Amino acid sequence: MRRGLSIYLGGGIIAVLLIATLAAPLLSPQNPYEMELAQGLAAPEAAHPFGRDKLGRDILSRVLHGGRTSLTVGFAAVSVSVLLGVIIGGIAGYLGGVWDEAIMRVTDVFLAFPGILLAIALMSVLAPSLWNIVISLSVFGWVGYARLTRAQVLALREREFVIAAHAAGATPGRILTRHLFTNVISPVIVEASIGMAGAILAESGLSFLGLGIQPPEPSWGAMLAEGRDFLLVAPHLTIYPGIAIALTVMGLNILGDGLRDLLDPTQKR
């Protein structure tokens, strides 16, 4: 019951956020780029429930459109990281020996550095853009998936169905794709749901530091950065994008916990 509740609650939160961001053009009170300088820092009202920013732009509109940016970065960065990590970890676990040792030492090098610092360093070199953020987050994001996949493959490669595939003359590529990867996908999905929350936080942090999405494009992190100078006089500038980030991360973590409990074979049904 608790497992089902976590999945429904986390999935429900993410579903609502996805629908709201996808329907942003329909739900937004006005164009997120439209400025009315005379209404700068205006408090929330019926026509503008989240208020306006310093340039008089509608905050609700920018939160909805900013969600598209943050969720796109999170999904794309996790997708690239999963693809790289599963392939690299699967090869390391299947081949073993020198290849396994070499690949794992490379992952250890990446793990020796905080991922967000590597992302900041890369973004200071690359031009700030959505896809450069995805690249910077993927450069270190694959490591966890590679180690997880390697551990699963090491545990599976001596199982009877893999030995039978060898005896039947299956190629290493077929064994990896048809027999091993299909059996490691469950823990990878759980890790990816939680990893997406981390990617969204990282994107928000980069945008907050001015290394991510650049104005006038809306982004939750950039909106927090724009509102920090007005915390005392107009706290709504930071409250609403902060709530959006918190809800997204909370929903993904709850969903990940529910999936982990559901897909863990050691848990009692």
Side-chain angles (χ1 to χ4, degrees):
M1 181 64 182
R2 188 181 67 83
R3 291 194 290 267
L5 180 61
S6 296
I7 292 175
Y8 289 132
L9 179 58
I13 292 173
I14 299 304
V16 169
L17 289 169
L18 281 174
I19 292 172
T21 54
L22 290 175
L26 301 176
L27 300 176
S28 300
Q30 69 178 53
N31 189 312
Y33 307 103
E34 183 180 340
M35 296 183 291
E36 296 183 32
L37 297 179
Q39 299 296 321
L41 303 181
E45 57 183 356
H48 304 278
F50 288 6
R52 298 171 181 264
D53 65 8
K54 64 180 180 180
L55 298 177
R57 296 173 296 193
D58 181 71
I59 293 178
L60 174 57
S61 302
R62 293 185 64 78
V63 167
L64 291 173
H65 284 80
R68 289 182 162 190
T69 300
S70 297
L71 292 173
T72 298
V73 169
F75 180 79
V78 168
S79 298
V80 174
S81 298
V82 167
L83 180 63
L84 292 175
V86 167
I87 292 174
I88 294 172
I91 292 173
Y94 182 76
L95 295 180
V98 175
W99 287 104
D100 181 32
E101 187 70 18
I103 292 173
M104 286 302 101
R105 296 296 74 77
V106 172
T107 62
D108 289 342
V109 171
F110 278 89
L111 287 173
F113 298 94
I116 190 62
L117 291 184
L118 284 178
I120 290 173
L122 281 174
M123 289 306 300
S124 64
V125 174
L126 301 173
S129 71
L130 186 148
W131 296 113
N132 282 342
I133 296 175
V134 172
I135 292 172
S136 67
L137 296 179
S138 302
V139 163
F140 70 87
W142 64 270
V143 177
Y145 301 104
R147 293 176 69 88
L148 175 61
T149 303
R150 170 185 176 267
Q152 295 293 320
V153 170
L154 285 174
L156 292 170
R157 67 178 184 177
E158 302 301 330
R159 297 283 294 273
E160 293 80 359
F161 65 90
V162 177
I163 296 174
H166 275 295
T171 62
R174 182 178 178 83
I175 292 173
L176 276 171
T177 56
R178 295 293 298 274
H179 300 284
L180 293 176
F181 287 163
T182 54
N183 284 281
V184 304
I185 193 66
S186 294
V188 169
I189 289 174
V190 174
E191 184 69 19
S193 65
I194 298 174
M196 187 172 173
I200 290 173
L201 279 176
E203 182 276 328
S204 299
L206 290 172
S207 297
F208 182 84
L209 295 173
L211 298 173
I213 304 301
Q214 298 297 298
E217 292 297 324
S219 164
W220 291 340
M223 293 177 70
L224 288 176
E226 292 171 0
R228 61 184 170 180
D229 294 330
F230 306 99
L231 280 174
L232 297 180
V233 295
H236 58 276
L237 269 65
T238 54
I239 287 175
Y240 296 111
I243 290 175
I245 294 172
L247 281 175
T248 304
V249 172
M250 182 180 69
L252 287 168
N253 281 323
I254 293 174
L255 178 61
D257 287 341
L259 289 173
R260 180 184 58 199
D261 292 340
L262 179 66
L263 299 174
D264 186 354
T266 64
Q267 293 289 331
K268 293 181 179 181
R269 301 299 182 199

